[in-house]
Amino acid sequence: MTAADTTVNESRERLLDTAQHLFHQRGFKAVTMQQIARELGVKQASLYYHVPDGKEQLFVEVTTRSFEQHRQGLQAAIDSVGPGFAEQLAAAARWFASQPPISLMGMVYADMPALSDRNTQRLEGVAYRCLFEPIATMFREASMRGEICPMHPDLLAGSFLALMDGITYASSNQQASPPRAAMGEAIVSLLLDGLRPRAENNGAMTYALSEN
Amino acid sequence: MTAADTTVNESRERLLDTAQHLFHQRGFKAVTMQQIARELGVKQASLYYHVPDGKEQLFVEVTTRSFEQHRQGLQAAIDSVGPGFAEQLAAAARWFASQPPISLMGMVYADMPALSDRNTQRLEGVAYRCLFEPIATMFREASMRGEICPMHPDLLAGSFLALMDGITYASSNQQASPPRAAMGEAIVSLLLDGLRPRAENNGAMTYALSEN
DNA sequence: ATTATCTATAGATCTATAGATAATGC
DNA sequence: ATTATCTATAGATCTATAGATAATGC
């Protein structure tokens, strides 16, 4: 515990990565320490050497880590394209499409209720700060610059997150679904221009109706 | 089993209602037979008289029932407003806002992996037929009538479902969130007109920027 | 005789701990 | 001596079954 604090701990990192992957794919309750151990090729009890505080703490740690990564990547993506809102929204969508799914709504539905109140509150706070806040700020600033119609930034941020979360569902569930990046682009243009045909149709629409 | 098939079975209905409520609020794995029994004021083992095929079959039954109810209500809502797309979309949104949440994405994330393959496929089929199909058809027909820009109806249906699912999340999670019906309206106008300011701004936007 | 409950419990998991064991570095 | 694993297992759940018990209707 003393020297390992500073040293890069290879085994522990592998454990966290594996747990993160499994948890975010199947949920806290559905994943057992047994399964994580099997994936790593060790015995279940051996995990507790690296994670002495147990399964719930492990979940909180990897989820927090994942959300922090999203905050950083999301902010970098938004900042990388300058102050135009349409570009920022597209950059945010590309970021989500490039990342492994988070199933935010699934977590709230199934994982949070299984955690202690303290951990639920903590994770909700992290989710707010890392995912909701950066996006709401983007909408709020665009609104103040007059680039978008004045709608409640919180509602827009929640809608955007729900849509990004939904891309996961569609692409895992549907047979022969389009790539996630293309779905992200289509959703961005939907959010920008809406469904109603415009007089000045400048061809921003992708994803035209094919068959079915 | 012989006479009870036709007779309305009061206790069994109460059991199904309670199970449906709990399952769709917390998920298949998180809800125990113990909890369902406690809610009903009976002992856990007594449930098996009404549901001899066990917990998983109970989940499949109540989820199927719930999806069928959605199909009926959704179709009735859409049909009740005639052929105008904007009205149909608003009616569908009102339907979802009026119903207890389904957490469709949460189910796919957490519940499906815990079921047998057979039951997963069955429920996916029911979800497709009851939720996805009616909405995709609405978009497809509006598209053919030229009322909306030509975008892939499946993508639009998935996006709409994700947004309706997301309303749940926002209204359960956010402090002092607006009522679900108002969020539904705002999302409909967002989908119709998009975020970009229009020259001919006919004031369809609700939910104007307030504070924060 | 049928219906609907109950008590008791087997059997299956799952988390987490205790203590042994092997390998590595001083 | 420290690090990282292992075996073994206690203790807590959870599902589902077996068989007893009470109430109702013929």
Side-chain angles (χ1 to χ4, degrees), chain B residues 1 9 22 55 57 79 103 138 208:
Chain B
M1 266 295 186
N9 195 325
L22 286 175
K55 186 189 178 189
Q57 203 50 47
D79 292 343
S103 280
M138 179 183 68

Short mmCIF file of all heavy atoms in Angstrom, two decimals, chain B residues 1 9 22 55 57 79 103 138 208:
data_model
loop_
_atom_site.label_atom_id
_atom_site.label_comp_id
_atom_site.label_asym_id
_atom_site.label_seq_id
_atom_site.Cartn_x
_atom_site.Cartn_y
_atom_site.Cartn_z
N MET B 1 -56.65 -24.79 -12.10
CA MET B 1 -56.17 -24.45 -13.44
C MET B 1 -57.26 -24.56 -14.49
O MET B 1 -57.25 -23.91 -15.50
CB MET B 1 -55.01 -25.39 -13.83
CG MET B 1 -53.63 -24.82 -13.52
SD MET B 1 -53.26 -23.34 -14.48
CE MET B 1 -51.56 -23.06 -14.00
N ASN B 9 -59.17 -13.87 -12.04
CA ASN B 9 -58.45 -14.25 -10.84
C ASN B 9 -57.88 -13.01 -10.17
O ASN B 9 -56.84 -12.49 -10.54
CB ASN B 9 -57.34 -15.23 -11.21
CG ASN B 9 -56.80 -15.92 -9.99
OD1 ASN B 9 -56.73 -15.32 -8.92
ND2 ASN B 9 -56.41 -17.16 -10.13
N LEU B 22 -42.83 -3.21 -9.75
CA LEU B 22 -41.48 -3.35 -9.18
C LEU B 22 -40.43 -3.64 -10.25
O LEU B 22 -39.37 -3.01 -10.28
CB LEU B 22 -41.48 -4.45 -8.12
CG LEU B 22 -42.16 -4.09 -6.79
CD1 LEU B 22 -42.21 -5.30 -5.87
CD2 LEU B 22 -41.42 -2.95 -6.11
N LYS B 55 -39.90 -16.99 -11.52
CA LYS B 55 -39.64 -15.55 -11.61
C LYS B 55 -39.43 -15.06 -13.04
O LYS B 55 -40.01 -14.06 -13.45
CB LYS B 55 -38.41 -15.22 -10.76
CG LYS B 55 -38.12 -13.75 -10.64
CD LYS B 55 -36.77 -13.50 -9.98
CE LYS B 55 -36.47 -12.02 -9.91
NZ LYS B 55 -35.09 -11.75 -9.47
N GLN B 57 -40.40 -16.34 -15.86
CA GLN B 57 -41.63 -16.38 -16.63
C GLN B 57 -42.57 -15.26 -16.22
O GLN B 57 -43.26 -14.65 -17.04
CB GLN B 57 -42.30 -17.75 -16.46
CG GLN B 57 -43.24 -18.10 -17.58
CD GLN B 57 -42.60 -17.93 -18.95
OE1 GLN B 57 -41.48 -18.35 -19.18
NE2 GLN B 57 -43.31 -17.24 -19.85
N ASP B 79 -54.10 7.40 -33.82
CA ASP B 79 -55.28 7.37 -34.68
C ASP B 79 -56.30 8.44 -34.28
O ASP B 79 -57.14 8.84 -35.08
CB ASP B 79 -55.96 5.99 -34.61
CG ASP B 79 -55.09 4.93 -35.26
OD1 ASP B 79 -54.16 5.30 -36.01
OD2 ASP B 79 -55.34 3.73 -35.01
N SER B 103 -38.52 2.45 -19.14
CA SER B 103 -37.07 2.24 -19.10
C SER B 103 -36.63 1.15 -20.06
O SER B 103 -35.96 0.19 -19.70
CB SER B 103 -36.60 1.86 -17.69
OG SER B 103 -36.51 2.99 -16.90
N MET B 138 -45.52 5.58 -38.29
CA MET B 138 -45.97 6.97 -38.29
C MET B 138 -44.98 7.86 -39.04
O MET B 138 -45.37 8.68 -39.88
CB MET B 138 -46.11 7.45 -36.84
CG MET B 138 -46.54 8.89 -36.69
SD MET B 138 -46.59 9.38 -34.94
CE MET B 138 -44.84 9.34 -34.51
N ALA B 208 -39.04 28.41 -22.77
CA ALA B 208 -38.00 29.41 -23.01
C ALA B 208 -36.97 29.39 -21.88
O ALA B 208 -37.23 28.95 -20.76
CB ALA B 208 -38.61 30.79 -23.13
#
